[in-house]
Amino acid sequence: MSAQAASKVEKPTLKDHANFIGGKMRPAADGRTIDVICPSDGQVFATIARSGQADVDAAVRAARVAFDTGAWPRTSATDRGRILARMSELILSERESLARLEAKDVGKIYRSTFSDVTVLARYFEFYAGAADKIGGDVIPLPTGFTAFTIREPLGVVAGILPWNSPTQMFGRVVSPALAMGNTVVLKPAEDACLTVLRLAELAMEAGLPEGALNVVTGYGHEAGAALSAHPAIDFISFTGSPEVGTLVQQAAAANHVGVTLELGGKSPHILFDDADFAAALPIITNSIIVNSGQTCVAGSRLLVQASAIDRVSELFGAHFQGLSTGPHDVECDLGPLINAKQHKRVNSMLSTAIGEGVPVIAEGRIADGSSPDGYFVRPMLLGPVPRQNTIARKEVFGPVLSLLPFTDESDAIALANDTPFGLAAAVWSRDVGRAMRASRQVRAGQVYINGYGAGGGVELPFGGFKKSGHGREKGMEALHEFSATKTVILNHG
Ligand code: NAP
Ligand code: MG
């Protein structure tokens, strides 16, 4: 059944979701909605508000009032931390239902959304503890003066979120922004709003004052553009495509507000011939199949020392053949892609590469009984991929791993750095010196040695070099991004 037909048949029983503004659920001012589609079967099961300028104005006004005259920025850092800690507990108490909702909404397998929600709770726990640990400096001056610094909140933070991990992204942006006393307006991706809306309600239950956190749903070119260009916001946190990142930064420039951009990557695994291949195999595979390759840090390039290429192709090939893609609520290795557009885009990149002669080493399968209307793509291992082929350089955002051979250490570094991106990387070797040298020379915001990922990485500063963007999220650095230094100089004679 097509999405449109499903929409006609099922509409009366759909669950309608409104915006969350000033502590209340409010439909779009003009009543418009967008259908919410489950990626596993292409069927409509809910609606969200299709917000326009009036809705964004209302949300920014609520956040503005909450910042300028409300309680949140005037609450002590310790008490802000207590409310964030309560939020973490509430998230854990609803972990299963949040994970189920997210799985249905974005098509991720339940195991993966359960882990995302656990990481989300950890974000709130971490920033709850960090909220009152940000101090300032006392600056030496001539006798008669005392100067010190304080970190102040920026004001109204606009968060434009992608669809690939809405719960984790909620944690990444909202918990540090709130910890520093900012107020927030979120515009989640139209394909990934349901958990974000529920989390906004939970935040109120945790004790967040009205207006401190608002959510407007809708299309990027409407609600997203209106939010990023809004004259009453003070900062933008954006994660998404490089193209929209440019638009968001232009909008920020027009209002002279700061912006962090996280624009994805083409992250390499550098596998030297002395590495522990058996240990590397599941970790490297997971880094490209988790969320069906739709993660900014997908380990999408496997750079292999030429002397080991046959062994690695055989080992990884056998593993890829055993992988299965299926619906979010079935025990599979990966779920469908998010929507029809991404499905078409990934398939088209794959068929272009294969048409250009890129060999397929192995591919997984689509689980029996999967709906023909779901957005499934088999996991693919390609190689050897020519270095200049588009699939080796452009972000695919699908479960596609490109294997590229290198000769020696310096060739490996040159190859690792030979894309416009610089988000994450991994070096695999038993030679500590070689691994350390490589880690220092790779241009990436995070470099793992003999691993990839460390839990949710909440504690670890994260962000890009080069075209992967700028600014740092996560860890204590996020608290600096979401605040500004005020210097107080006392002339006491
Ligand atoms: P996208 O268009 O950049 O979407 C990211 C966010 O920006 C969404 O909330 C989107 O809203 C919003 N947006 C879109 N146009 C906007 C505008 N003119 N002004 C302000 N906000 C706007 O990404 P996409 O089209 O969903 O995905 C395309 C590609 O981007 C992917 O294939 C992938 O390569 C990359 N991507 C990267 C990441 C990452 O984690 N770095 C995440 C997602 C996508 P709507 O979705 O509601 O339109
Ligand atoms: Mg959806």
Side-chain angles (χ1 to χ4, degrees):
M1 191 188 293
S2 77
Q4 257 164 6
S7 142
K8 271 191 200 114
V9 175
E10 291 186 12
K11 205 138 203 168
T13 59
L14 300 183
K15 179 152 173 41
D16 296 317
H17 298 269
N19 286 323
F20 192 78
I21 299 176
K24 291 176 193 62
M25 289 293 180
R26 290 203 222 164
D30 58 12
R32 289 188 302 173
T33 60
I34 299 172
D35 287 344
V36 178
I37 292 170
C38 174
S40 294
D41 57 12
Q43 302 227 15
V44 178
F45 70 98
T47 69
I48 50 165
R50 177 173 170 182
S51 304
Q53 187 70 49
D55 308 295
V56 171
D57 283 346
V60 173
R61 202 176 316 117
R64 190 75 262 163
V65 170
F67 186 79
D68 292 341
T69 59
W72 188 245
R74 290 155 195 88
T75 301
S76 75
T78 307
D79 285 341
R80 289 200 301 266
R82 289 189 176 122
I83 288 173
L84 297 186
R86 173 95 186 104
M87 176 68 174
S88 177
E89 287 162 14
L90 288 176
I91 290 165
L92 289 177
S93 73
E94 280 202 12
R95 182 160 35 173
E96 287 81 7
S97 63
L98 284 166
R100 264 196 304 278
L101 182 62
E102 179 114 314
K104 180 157 185 166
D105 193 17
V106 302
K108 277 187 170 186
I109 51 175
Y110 177 77
R111 197 170 63 240
S112 182
T113 56
F114 187 84
S115 142
D116 284 349
V117 176
T118 308
V119 173
L120 164 69
R122 172 69 187 138
Y123 270 110
F124 278 88
E125 182 186 51
F126 179 83
Y127 290 109
D132 62 3
K133 311 294 183 295
I134 293 285
D137 295 318
V138 175
I139 299 168
L141 277 182
T143 310
F145 292 92
T146 297
F148 59 92
T149 61
I150 317 173
R151 296 299 299 188
E152 298 260 326
L154 299 171
V156 175
V157 168
I160 299 180
L161 308 183
W163 40 259
N164 48 351
S165 288
T167 46
Q168 282 214 35
M169 287 306 308
F170 183 95
R172 201 196 284 184
V173 173
V174 172
S175 57
L178 290 180
M180 290 311 290
N182 299 283
T183 61
V184 178
V185 179
L186 291 181
K187 207 303 280 175
E190 98 246 3
D191 284 316
C193 295
L194 303 191
T195 46
V196 170
L197 288 165
R198 176 64 194 139
L199 288 168
E201 283 181 326
L202 277 187
M204 299 299 120
E205 224 177 280
L208 197 68
E210 283 177 7
L213 173 62
N214 308 274
V215 182
V216 275
T217 61
Y219 291 118
H221 64 279
E222 296 176 348
L227 179 59
S228 51
H230 205 289
I233 62 167
D234 299 294
F235 188 79
I236 307 175
S237 164
F238 174 81
T239 300
S241 62
E243 296 74 19
V244 177
T246 302
L247 298 177
V248 167
Q249 187 153 14
Q250 281 165 345
N255 284 321
H256 304 290
V257 299
V259 56
T260 52
L261 297 180
E262 201 271 82
L263 307 177
K266 193 73 190 170
S267 300
H269 289 279
I270 307 175
L271 191 63
F272 285 103
D273 61 4
D274 67 336
D276 181 343
F277 296 155
L281 174 71
I283 297 172
I284 293 177
T285 307
N286 189 53
S287 79
I288 188 64
I289 65 166
V290 70
N291 199 12
S292 301
Q294 305 170 114
T295 63
C296 46
V297 291
S300 52
R301 290 188 299 147
L302 177 55
L303 317 186
V304 183
Q305 195 152 19
S307 46
I309 202 102
D310 291 341
R311 273 187 293 153
V312 171
S313 299
E314 201 175 311
L315 186 67
F316 278 71
H319 192 62
F320 264 66
Q321 265 166 11
L323 297 173
S324 67
T325 307
H328 62 276
D329 48 3
V330 168
E331 266 301 313
C332 283
D333 299 295
L334 54 161
L337 300 190
I338 183 78
N339 57 29
K341 183 177 142 208
Q342 287 299 115
H343 188 241
K344 192 168 161 210
R345 183 176 166 279
V346 170
N347 279 327
S348 139
M349 285 183 81
L350 270 170
S351 53
T352 302
I354 293 166
E356 287 166 354
V358 172
V360 176
I361 298 172
E363 59 185 295
R365 63 186 181 88
I366 294 174
D368 295 343
S370 299
S371 164
D373 295 323
Y375 310 127
F376 303 105
V377 173
R378 298 161 205 281
M380 286 275 189
L381 176 63
L382 305 177
V385 181
R387 292 184 180 195
Q388 292 311 314
N389 192 282
T390 304
I391 208 134
R393 303 181 60 79
K394 203 171 161 188
E395 190 171 47
V396 177
F397 240 53
V400 181
L401 180 60
S402 291
L403 187 150
L404 294 97
F406 66 84
T407 51
D408 57 15
E409 199 175 310
S410 68
D411 189 37
I413 302 301
L415 183 54
N417 287 334
D418 185 26
T419 78
F421 296 105
L423 192 58
V427 183
W428 298 86
S429 173
R430 287 187 169 99
D431 178 337
V432 178
R434 174 150 78 176
M436 273 311 298
R437 282 193 300 278
S439 74
R440 296 298 298 269
Q441 291 179 75
V442 172
R443 294 276 291 160
Q446 281 191 343
V447 185
Y448 292 91
I449 296 174
N450 295 332
Y452 203 71
V458 172
E459 309 81 357
L460 306 172
F462 174 75
F465 285 99
K466 296 157 67 184
K467 299 277 189 279
S468 287
H470 50 75
R472 290 293 176 269
E473 302 177 285
K474 305 189 177 187
M476 298 302 277
E477 290 212 19
L479 299 175
H480 289 268
E481 292 285 358
F482 286 121
S483 62
T485 300
K486 177 184 276 180
T487 310
V488 180
I489 307 104
L490 177 66
N491 177 356
H492 42 70

